Amino acid sequence: MQIQDLPYPDPGAPDARSGPRFLWWLFRNQLDGQFKALAWGLLHFLSVSALPFCVGVAVQAVVDRSGSRLALAGGLLALCCAGSALGDTFLHRAAVTNWITAAARVQQVLARKAAHLGSALTRRVAAGEVVAVSTGDVEKIGWFVEALSRFTAAAVTIVVVCVCLVVYQPALGVVVAVGLPVLALAVLPLLPRATRRADVQREKAGRATELASDTVAGLRVLRGIGGEELFLDRYRAASQEVRHAAVRSARMWSLISAIQVLLPGLLLITVVWYGVRLAGAGRVDVGELVAVYSSVMILTYPLRHFEEIAMAYSFSRPSARRAAKVLSLERATDTGGTRAGTEPPSGDLYDPATGLLAPAGRLTAVVCGDPDAAGRLAERLGGHPSEKGESVLLGGVPLDEVPLDTARTAVLVQDKDPVLLSGTLRDLFDVPRSGDVDPEPALVAAQCQDVLAALVQGSVGAADPMDSRITERGRSLSGGQRQRLALARSLVTDPEVLVLDEPTSAVDSHTEARIAQGVRELRAGRTTVVFTSSPLLLDRADRVVLVHEGEVVAVGVHRELLHSEPRYRAVVTREPDADRDGSEDGARQSPTPGGPGLPAGADAGSGLDDVLKELEEIEESA
């Protein structure tokens, strides 16, 4: 796999049982690149390690006044330099390729898992942690995979050189062969402590990243309540913890580095001292002493890779553990799409758990007093349940038994906080869709005329509104403008079933009335389910369903339910909690002062009249 061939057609099924198992799975899937890096690494390291022998031959040739051996030494030196340069060039190329392709594989499996889980992902793992895993952790994992082949080449080179030294000059070679393993293993007792400190640093850095991500996402709200300084102080404290942890970790790694500088120096001193004694006794030639001394100096280069692989593993292990944690998550109910056929089912949408029925081709409004329960029910209707339970049926077909991509084609859920990605408006509507609904009528139905004007005004040189740019997450737009653009995007997809969770909570009443009418007209003949407590949307629905404590307790039309169902009236008109018990006496108590549609001191009857009167006025003006 080369960089230009990315992304992978199939990144594979990761082994997410633990961090080490995930790293091993990643290594096994990179074997081709690992062997290439190993081959080029061996060429490079062996060429570099052979230089001292060539120098030793050259020195001895000068001592012996042998021109032929001097010429041979020069040729060997040139060959070793060429091998070193060639190996280093292609080793770097192969190593970078391994790093990037390994990181890309991890990102692909993470993206696939996020798409598979849908909204259930952020319910089980903090969004900031997902960001940390898909950015910094991916880099650390790729580093370890890339360093592994270079470490293997360095280790093989050290073994080969030790064997050659023993054969070339046994007296000094034995000293080096015994000393080098001691150098390589001397830092092992320090690695567990260094790894623990690195784990603490990565854990604190992950928490700081989560805090920063969540703070940035809620910056507009924080500014509104004056909470910027509070969260800034929290992030400042978290970043200082990361700094202290990084310093403690760096101290341990600096100690390991110092040991790996000190011990080779001691080995060099030992070799020189012992070699001079042997040379004085006539047991070692000058050239042999120079060769062995140079070899020990050169071998400090591959020895550095022992420190690097230890650092790479200590930093990548917690990263791999976090990645495995995300990748091990599964959907609450998932049969893997056992039902044959790829055609999306159609018909009535029915939830056995609550008894909610959304007839095919009708606009059904769902009223639920608990916003969290409404969100969970919306996810269930879309085939994304957060808990195990009986599957939702579409046309009598359980969604759990339908392939996931087919189920998502049939049922689209727009949650209460939709995300707009950066790009042009044309990019926003470049989504899988039936082709029966164009962006223009969808924008009109969602009442986006003022949004288009604002986008054109903020985009230099964009004569066509579709070429105007949207900033990241639509931050330059108001909440209501983002909501309407997201609604238009959902309308363009034109799914068999469209589930909208509070699609107009951030718009004014007159705009909301026009949106209700536009959605009703554009979705005519299609099944639409709207979770809302807005009287304007409820009044346009063909069917209104009240869900109370996880069960359907009333079905009808808006104006009938206002008069006949106290619990419905309590949610829609914001009456006191006493009305939620369903008692008629509670329905006559005074509503909360300032509640929508109910003046302070008015009884429930007059409040209903005010609500109905307001609805009629808004309809006329719209």
Side-chain angles (χ1 to χ4, degrees):
M1 171 63 73
Q2 299 297 318
I3 296 176
Q4 64 264 25
D5 298 326
L6 294 174
Y8 287 96
D10 180 13
D15 186 348
R17 288 176 290 178
S18 66
R21 287 178 182 272
F22 178 68
L23 290 174
W24 175 242
W25 169 83
L26 195 59
F27 173 77
R28 287 190 290 105
N29 281 272
Q30 303 275 134
L31 283 180
D32 182 58
Q34 294 293 334
F35 282 128
K36 287 181 180 178
L38 176 60
W40 292 117
L42 286 173
L43 175 62
H44 172 62
F45 289 126
L46 290 175
S47 298
V48 171
S49 300
L51 290 174
F53 293 97
C54 299
V55 172
V57 171
V59 170
Q60 192 62 42
V62 171
V63 172
D64 296 339
R65 298 181 182 277
S66 174
S68 60
R69 279 193 292 162
L70 185 61
L72 176 63
L76 291 176
L77 277 172
L79 185 62
C80 289
C81 290
S84 174
L86 184 66
D88 190 27
T89 300
F90 284 93
L91 170 61
H92 180 72
R93 179 187 179 94
V96 171
T97 300
N98 287 340
W99 191 331
I100 293 177
T101 52
R105 187 185 295 273
V106 177
Q107 286 183 323
Q108 279 189 247
V109 295
L110 285 170
R112 184 176 64 185
K113 176 60 69 173
H116 181 71
L117 292 174
S119 58
L121 175 62
T122 52
R123 288 184 179 272
R124 301 164 70 178
V125 179
E129 183 173 353
V130 177
V131 172
V133 170
S134 58
T135 53
D137 286 337
V138 166
E139 182 181 355
K140 297 296 185 296
I141 294 170
W143 176 29
F144 173 74
V145 173
E146 175 269 329
L148 197 55
S149 55
R150 288 190 291 112
F151 162 73
T152 305
V156 172
T157 299
I158 290 174
V159 172
V160 171
V161 171
C162 287
V163 172
C164 292
L165 284 175
V166 171
V167 174
Y168 178 69
Q169 176 41 253
L172 290 175
V174 170
V175 175
V176 177
V178 172
L180 283 178
V182 174
L183 295 183
L185 303 177
V187 298
L188 284 181
L190 299 177
L191 288 180
R193 181 178 297 181
T195 300
R196 286 194 296 270
R197 292 189 179 186
D199 288 351
V200 171
Q201 177 196 352
R202 294 296 302 162
E203 183 179 350
K204 291 182 180 296
R207 285 202 296 264
T209 302
E210 293 174 26
L211 180 60
S213 301
D214 295 341
T215 301
V216 171
L219 192 58
R220 184 187 295 268
V221 177
L222 292 176
R223 285 174 177 169
I225 63 175
E228 286 179 280
E229 288 300 324
L230 174 62
F231 276 82
L232 181 61
D233 290 341
R234 290 182 182 177
Y235 180 72
R236 185 181 292 112
S239 63
Q240 289 302 312
E241 290 183 6
V242 175
R243 183 179 68 84
H244 291 308
V247 170
R248 292 186 73 248
S249 178
R251 286 173 181 166
M252 185 56 64
W253 288 113
S254 64
L255 177 60
I256 292 175
S257 298
I259 291 174
Q260 291 204 326
V261 172
L262 175 63
L263 293 183
L266 294 177
L267 180 60
L268 277 173
I269 293 173
T270 302
V271 169
V272 171
W273 174 79
Y274 186 53
V276 168
R277 289 173 62 87
L278 292 177
R283 297 173 56 188
V284 174
D285 294 333
V286 175
E288 293 176 335
L289 178 58
V290 171
V292 175
Y293 171 78
S294 302
S295 294
V296 175
M297 288 193 63
I298 290 293
L299 285 177
T300 58
Y301 169 49
L303 273 174
R304 301 294 295 180
H305 290 77
F306 283 77
E307 176 190 357
E308 183 190 11
I309 195 65
M311 291 183 64
Y313 180 70
S314 65
F315 279 95
S316 66
R317 190 169 61 91
S319 297
R321 185 173 63 245
R322 280 192 291 269
K325 175 184 175 183
V326 174
L327 293 172
S328 63
L329 297 176
E330 296 293 341
R331 289 165 53 86
T333 55
D334 191 358
T335 61
T338 56
R339 182 174 290 269
T342 59
E343 287 297 321
S346 60
D348 296 344
L349 184 67
Y350 177 67
D351 177 29
T354 59
L356 173 62
L357 173 66
R362 308 288 294 277
L363 174 59
T364 301
V366 181
V367 176
C368 187
D370 183 356
D372 291 335
R376 291 192 296 270
L377 179 54
E379 291 177 354
R380 277 183 53 78
L381 294 180
H384 315 296
S386 56
E387 300 174 354
K388 291 185 177 295
E390 194 172 356
S391 174
V392 170
L393 307 178
L394 179 58
V397 177
L399 283 181
D400 289 349
E401 298 181 8
V402 178
L404 188 59
D405 55 348
T406 304
R408 288 179 173 174
T409 301
V411 184
L412 173 67
V413 179
Q414 176 183 304
D415 61 21
K416 57 173 60 70
D417 187 23
V419 175
L420 302 181
L421 301 179
S422 60
T424 65
L425 193 60
R426 198 181 307 278
D427 295 334
L428 179 69
F429 291 106
D430 186 17
V431 293
R433 53 197 182 101
S434 67
D436 294 336
V437 178
D438 294 327
E440 289 76 9
L443 288 165
V444 172
Q447 297 298 305
C448 293
Q449 293 85 344
D450 63 316
V451 185
L452 297 180
L455 288 174
V456 171
Q457 186 176 4
S459 301
V460 179
D464 187 349
M466 298 299 292
D467 293 327
S468 57
R469 297 198 63 80
I470 302 173
T471 57
E472 182 186 2
R473 298 179 67 91
R475 297 189 190 281
S476 61
L477 303 173
S478 68
Q481 290 174 328
R482 289 197 301 271
Q483 220 172 37
R484 282 179 279 162
L485 280 179
L487 175 59
R489 178 180 58 189
S490 298
L491 293 174
V492 163
T493 60
D494 189 37
E496 181 68 27
V497 179
L498 176 60
V499 180
L500 304 172
D501 188 4
E502 295 289 352
T504 59
S505 59
V507 302
D508 61 83
S509 298
H510 293 278
T511 304
E512 189 175 32
R514 291 192 291 269
I515 291 174
Q517 185 61 31
V519 170
R520 180 182 176 86
E521 293 174 356
L522 194 64
R523 292 286 300 171
R526 292 288 202 179
T527 307
T528 307
V529 181
V530 182
F531 286 81
T532 183
S533 59
S534 167
L536 296 168
L537 288 175
L538 295 170
D539 198 45
R540 290 291 196 281
D542 299 315
R543 174 187 175 92
V544 178
V545 179
L546 173 64
V547 178
H548 181 69
E549 295 183 352
E551 294 182 357
V552 172
V553 295
V555 179
V557 295
H558 171 59
R559 303 194 183 209
E560 292 178 356
L561 291 176
L562 272 178
H563 289 284
S564 62
E565 179 53 60
R567 288 169 294 189
Y568 178 83
R569 183 165 57 247
V571 176
V572 174
T573 63
R574 313 298 198 273
E575 291 184 4
D577 290 341
D579 288 343
R580 299 178 187 270
D581 298 333
S583 63
E584 289 297 332
D585 292 338
R588 290 296 176 180
Q589 294 178 5
S590 297
T592 304
L598 285 176
D603 62 16
S606 62
L608 291 177
D609 293 338
D610 291 338
V611 170
L612 295 176
K613 183 177 180 181
E614 182 179 355
L615 283 172
E616 293 172 356
E617 291 175 352
I618 293 176
E619 289 174 0
E620 293 175 357
S621 62

